[in-house]
Structure formats: structure tokens, C-alpha cells
Coordinates of all heavy atoms in Angstrom, one line a residue:
M1 N 180.5 33.7 16.4 CA 179.9 34.8 17.2 C 178.4 34.5 17.3 O 177.7 34.2 16.3 CB 180.2 36.1 16.6 CG 179.6 37.3 17.3 SD 180.2 38.8 16.7 CE 179.9 39.9 18.0
T2 N 177.8 34.6 18.6 CA 176.4 34.4 18.7 C 175.6 35.7 18.5 O 176.1 36.7 18.7 CB 176.1 33.9 20.2 OG1 176.5 34.9 21.1 CG2 176.8 32.6 20.4
S3 N 174.4 35.5 18.0 CA 173.6 36.7 17.7 C 172.8 37.0 19.0 O 172.6 36.1 19.9 CB 172.6 36.4 16.6 OG 171.7 35.4 17.0
P4 N 172.2 38.2 19.1 CA 171.5 38.5 20.3 C 170.2 37.6 20.5 O 169.8 37.2 21.6 CB 171.0 39.9 20.0 CG 172.0 40.5 19.1 CD 172.4 39.3 18.3
D5 N 169.6 37.1 19.3 CA 168.5 36.2 19.4 C 168.9 34.8 20.0 O 168.1 34.2 20.8 CB 168.0 35.9 18.0 CG 167.2 37.1 17.4 OD1 166.8 38.0 18.2 OD2 167.0 37.2 16.2
D6 N 170.2 34.3 19.7 CA 170.6 33.0 20.2 C 170.7 33.2 21.7 O 170.3 32.3 22.6 CB 171.9 32.7 19.7 CG 171.8 32.2 18.2 OD1 170.7 31.9 17.8 OD2 172.8 32.2 17.5
D7 N 171.3 34.4 22.2 CA 171.5 34.6 23.7 C 170.1 34.7 24.3 O 169.9 34.1 25.4 CB 172.3 35.8 23.9 CG 172.5 36.1 25.4 OD1 172.9 35.1 26.0 OD2 172.3 37.3 25.8
L8 N 169.1 35.4 23.7 CA 167.8 35.5 24.3 C 167.1 34.2 24.4 O 166.5 33.8 25.4 CB 167.0 36.5 23.4 CG 165.6 36.8 23.9 CD1 165.6 37.3 25.3 CD2 164.8 37.6 22.9
K9 N 167.2 33.3 23.3 CA 166.6 31.9 23.4 C 167.2 31.1 24.4 O 166.6 30.4 25.2 CB 166.8 31.3 22.0 CG 165.9 31.8 20.9 CD 166.2 31.1 19.6 CE 165.4 31.8 18.5 NZ 165.7 31.2 17.2
A10 N 168.6 31.2 24.6 CA 169.3 30.4 25.6 C 168.8 30.8 27.0 O 168.6 30.0 28.0 CB 170.8 30.6 25.5
R11 N 168.7 32.2 27.3 CA 168.2 32.7 28.6 C 166.9 32.3 28.8 O 166.4 31.9 30.0 CB 168.5 34.2 28.7 CG 170.0 34.6 28.7 CD 170.1 36.0 29.0 NE 169.4 36.9 28.0 CZ 169.0 38.1 28.1 NH1 169.0 38.7 29.3 NH2 168.4 38.7 27.1
A12 N 166.0 32.4 27.9 CA 164.5 31.9 28.0 C 164.5 30.5 28.3 O 163.7 30.1 29.2 CB 163.7 32.3 26.7
K13 N 165.2 29.7 27.7 CA 165.2 28.2 27.9 C 165.6 27.9 29.3 O 165.1 27.2 30.0 CB 166.1 27.6 26.9 CG 166.1 26.0 27.1 CD 166.9 25.3 26.1 CE 166.9 23.8 26.3 NZ 167.8 23.1 25.4
Q14 N 166.7 28.5 29.7 CA 167.2 28.4 31.1 C 166.1 28.8 32.2 O 165.9 28.2 33.1 CB 168.5 29.2 31.3 CG 169.0 29.0 32.7 CD 170.3 29.8 32.9 OE1 170.6 30.8 32.2 NE2 171.0 29.5 33.9
H15 N 165.4 29.9 31.9 CA 164.4 30.4 32.8 C 163.3 29.4 32.9 O 162.8 29.2 34.0 CB 163.9 31.8 32.3 CG 162.8 32.4 33.1 ND1 163.0 32.9 34.4 CD2 161.5 32.5 32.9 CE1 161.9 33.3 34.9 NE2 160.9 33.1 34.1
V16 N 162.8 28.9 31.8 CA 161.7 28.0 31.7 C 162.1 26.7 32.5 O 161.2 26.1 33.2 CB 161.2 27.7 30.3 CG1 160.2 26.6 30.2 CG2 160.6 29.0 29.7
E17 N 163.3 26.2 32.3 CA 163.7 25.0 33.0 C 163.7 25.1 34.4 O 163.5 24.2 35.2 CB 165.0 24.6 32.5 CG 165.2 24.1 31.1 CD 166.5 23.9 30.5 OE1 167.5 24.3 31.1 OE2 166.6 23.4 29.4
Q18 N 163.8 26.3 35.0 CA 163.9 26.6 36.4 C 162.5 26.8 37.1 O 162.4 26.7 38.2 CB 164.8 27.8 36.7 CG 166.1 27.6 36.4 CD 167.0 28.9 36.6 OE1 166.4 29.9 36.9 NE2 168.3 28.8 36.3
L19 N 161.4 26.9 36.2 CA 160.1 27.1 36.7 C 159.5 25.7 37.2 O 159.9 24.8 36.7 CB 159.2 27.6 35.5 CG 159.5 29.0 35.1 CD1 158.6 29.3 33.8 CD2 159.2 30.0 36.2
P20 N 158.6 25.9 38.2 CA 157.9 24.6 38.5 C 157.1 24.1 37.3 O 156.7 24.8 36.5 CB 157.0 25.0 39.6 CG 157.5 26.4 40.1 CD 158.2 27.0 38.9
A21 N 156.9 22.8 37.3 CA 156.2 22.2 36.1 C 154.9 22.8 35.8 O 154.6 23.0 34.6 CB 156.1 20.7 36.3
E22 N 154.0 23.1 36.8 CA 152.7 23.7 36.5 C 152.8 25.0 35.9 O 152.0 25.5 35.1 CB 151.8 23.6 37.7 CG 152.3 24.6 38.8 CD 152.7 23.9 40.1 OE1 152.8 22.7 40.0 OE2 152.9 24.6 41.1
T23 N 153.8 25.8 36.3 CA 154.0 27.2 35.7 C 154.5 27.1 34.3 O 154.0 27.8 33.4 CB 155.0 28.0 36.6 OG1 154.6 28.0 37.9 CG2 155.1 29.4 36.1
A24 N 155.5 26.1 34.0 CA 155.9 26.0 32.7 C 154.9 25.6 31.7 O 154.8 25.9 30.5 CB 157.1 25.0 32.7
L25 N 153.9 24.8 32.2 CA 152.8 24.4 31.4 C 151.7 25.5 31.2 O 150.8 25.3 30.4 CB 152.1 23.1 31.9 CG 153.1 21.9 32.0 CD1 152.4 20.8 32.7 CD2 153.4 21.5 30.5
G26 N 151.8 26.5 32.0 CA 150.8 27.6 31.8 C 149.6 27.5 32.6 O 148.6 28.3 32.4
N27 N 149.6 26.7 33.6 CA 148.4 26.5 34.4 C 148.7 26.6 35.9 O 148.3 25.9 36.8 CB 147.7 25.2 34.2 CG 148.5 24.0 34.4 OD1 149.7 24.1 34.6 ND2 147.9 22.8 34.3
A28 N 149.5 27.7 36.2 CA 149.9 27.8 37.6 C 148.7 28.2 38.5 O 147.8 29.0 38.0 CB 150.9 28.9 37.7
D29 N 148.6 27.8 39.7 CA 147.6 28.1 40.6 C 148.2 29.0 41.7 O 148.9 28.5 42.6 CB 147.1 26.9 41.3 CG 145.9 27.1 42.3 OD1 145.5 28.4 42.4 OD2 145.3 26.2 42.8
P30 N 148.0 30.3 41.6 CA 148.6 31.3 42.6 C 148.2 31.0 44.0 O 148.9 31.3 44.9 CB 148.1 32.6 42.1 CG 147.0 32.4 41.1 CD 147.1 31.0 40.6
A31 N 147.0 30.3 44.2 CA 146.6 30.0 45.6 C 147.4 28.9 46.1 O 147.3 28.5 47.3 CB 145.2 29.9 45.6
G32 N 148.1 28.1 45.3 CA 148.9 27.0 45.8 C 148.1 25.6 45.7 O 148.6 24.6 46.0
G33 N 146.9 25.7 45.1 CA 146.2 24.4 44.9 C 145.6 23.9 46.2 O 145.7 24.5 47.3
V34 N 144.9 22.7 46.1 CA 144.3 22.1 47.2 C 144.6 20.7 47.2 O 145.0 20.1 46.2 CB 142.7 22.3 47.2 CG1 142.3 23.8 47.3 CG2 142.1 21.7 45.9
D35 N 144.5 20.1 48.4 CA 144.7 18.6 48.6 C 143.4 17.9 48.7 O 143.5 16.6 49.0 CB 145.6 18.4 49.8 CG 147.0 18.9 49.7 OD1 147.4 19.0 48.6 OD2 147.6 19.3 50.7
D36 N 142.3 18.6 48.5 CA 141.0 17.8 48.5 C 140.8 16.9 47.4 O 141.4 17.0 46.3 CB 139.9 18.9 48.5 CG 140.0 19.8 49.7 OD1 140.5 19.3 50.8 OD2 139.5 20.9 49.7
D37 N 139.8 16.0 47.5 CA 139.4 15.1 46.4 C 138.8 15.8 45.4 O 137.8 16.6 45.5 CB 138.4 14.1 47.0 CG 138.1 13.1 46.0 OD1 138.6 13.0 45.0 OD2 137.2 12.2 46.4
P38 N 139.3 15.8 44.1 CA 138.7 16.5 43.0 C 137.2 16.1 42.7 O 136.5 17.0 42.2 CB 139.6 16.1 41.8 CG 140.6 15.2 42.3 CD 140.5 14.9 43.7
K39 N 136.9 14.9 43.0 CA 135.4 14.6 42.8 C 134.5 15.3 43.7 O 133.5 15.8 43.1 CB 135.3 13.0 43.1 CG 135.9 12.1 42.0 CD 135.7 10.6 42.4 CE 136.5 9.7 41.5 NZ 136.3 8.3 41.9
V40 N 134.9 15.6 44.8 CA 134.1 16.4 45.7 C 133.9 17.8 45.2 O 132.8 18.4 45.2 CB 134.6 16.3 47.2 CG1 133.8 17.4 48.0 CG2 134.6 15.0 47.7
L41 N 135.0 18.3 44.7 CA 135.1 19.7 44.2 C 134.2 19.8 42.9 O 133.5 20.7 42.7 CB 136.4 20.1 43.9 CG 137.4 20.3 45.1 CD1 138.8 20.6 44.6 CD2 136.9 21.3 46.0
D42 N 134.3 18.7 42.1 CA 133.4 18.7 40.8 C 131.9 18.6 41.1 O 131.1 19.3 40.6 CB 133.8 17.5 40.0 CG 135.2 17.6 39.3 OD1 135.7 18.8 39.3 OD2 135.7 16.7 38.8
E43 N 131.6 17.8 42.2 CA 130.2 17.7 42.6 C 129.7 19.0 43.1 O 128.6 19.4 42.8 CB 130.0 16.6 43.7 CG 130.2 15.2 43.1 CD 130.3 14.1 44.1 OE1 130.0 14.4 45.3 OE2 130.6 13.0 43.8
A44 N 130.5 19.7 43.9 CA 130.1 21.0 44.5 C 129.9 22.0 43.4 O 128.9 22.8 43.4 CB 131.1 21.4 45.5
A45 N 130.7 21.9 42.4 CA 130.5 22.9 41.3 C 129.3 22.6 40.5 O 128.6 23.6 40.1 CB 131.8 22.9 40.4
R46 N 129.0 21.3 40.3 CA 127.8 21.1 39.6 C 126.5 21.5 40.4 O 125.6 22.0 39.8 CB 127.7 19.5 39.3 CG 128.4 19.1 38.1 CD 128.1 17.7 37.7 NE 129.4 17.0 37.6 CZ 129.9 16.2 38.5 NH1 129.2 15.7 39.4 NH2 131.1 15.7 38.3
E47 N 126.6 21.3 41.7 CA 125.4 21.7 42.6 C 125.3 23.2 42.5 O 124.1 23.6 42.5 CB 125.6 21.1 43.9 CG 125.5 19.6 44.1 CD 125.8 19.1 45.5 OE1 126.0 20.0 46.4 OE2 125.9 18.0 45.7
E48 N 126.4 23.9 42.5 CA 126.3 25.4 42.6 C 125.7 25.9 41.2 O 125.0 26.8 41.2 CB 127.7 25.9 42.8 CG 127.7 27.4 43.0 CD 129.0 27.9 43.5 OE1 129.6 27.4 44.4 OE2 129.4 29.0 42.9
R49 N 126.1 25.2 40.1 CA 125.5 25.7 38.8 C 124.0 25.4 38.7 O 123.3 26.2 38.1 CB 126.2 24.9 37.7 CG 127.5 25.6 37.2 CD 128.1 24.9 36.1 NE 129.0 23.9 36.6 CZ 129.4 22.8 36.1 NH1 129.0 22.6 34.9 NH2 130.3 22.0 36.6
Q50 N 123.5 24.3 39.4 CA 122.1 24.0 39.3 C 121.3 25.0 40.1 O 120.1 25.1 39.9 CB 121.9 22.6 39.8 CG 122.4 21.6 38.8 CD 122.4 20.2 39.3 OE1 122.0 19.9 40.5 NE2 122.7 19.2 38.5
S51 N 121.8 25.5 41.2 CA 121.0 26.3 42.1 C 121.0 27.8 41.6 O 121.5 28.2 40.7 CB 121.5 26.3 43.5 OG 122.9 26.8 43.5

């Protein structure tokens, strides 16, 4: 007989397996991300901090 904890673990594992990789890793981007060059974004962030 399975315990309630075993069932919960099985359901949680199944749920996580169905998530997109970025969500399962904990760094989901609700805006959907960008296709821009990350170097350009990093440079813009540095310039914004300096001003």
C-alpha cells in the first residue's frame, strides 16, 4: 500500500517533468524572454548604472 507522501511525491515529480525547462529550474521569464544579443543588453545595463 502506498502512503499519501508517496502519492504526493509522484504527482509532484510528474508536474515538474511537464514544466518547461526554464520554469523547472526556477528562472522563468514571465515576459517570454528576448531574442536580442545579450552583450548589447549587458552594455546598456552598465551604461544605465553609470548615469
Side-chain angles (χ1 to χ4, degrees):
M1 182 173 201
T2 61
S3 73
D5 287 340
D6 291 340
D7 184 46
L8 182 61
K9 288 178 185 177
R11 289 188 301 152
K13 181 179 179 185
Q14 181 182 17
H15 178 71
V16 169
E17 288 172 351
Q18 294 174 357
L19 292 173
E22 67 244 9
T23 305
L25 294 173
N27 57 351
D29 183 0
V34 295
D35 292 331
D36 297 332
D37 183 6
K39 290 180 184 177
V40 174
L41 297 173
D42 290 342
E43 289 172 7
R46 272 188 239 113
E47 289 176 7
E48 190 171 310
R49 277 184 266 156
Q50 290 175 355
S51 58

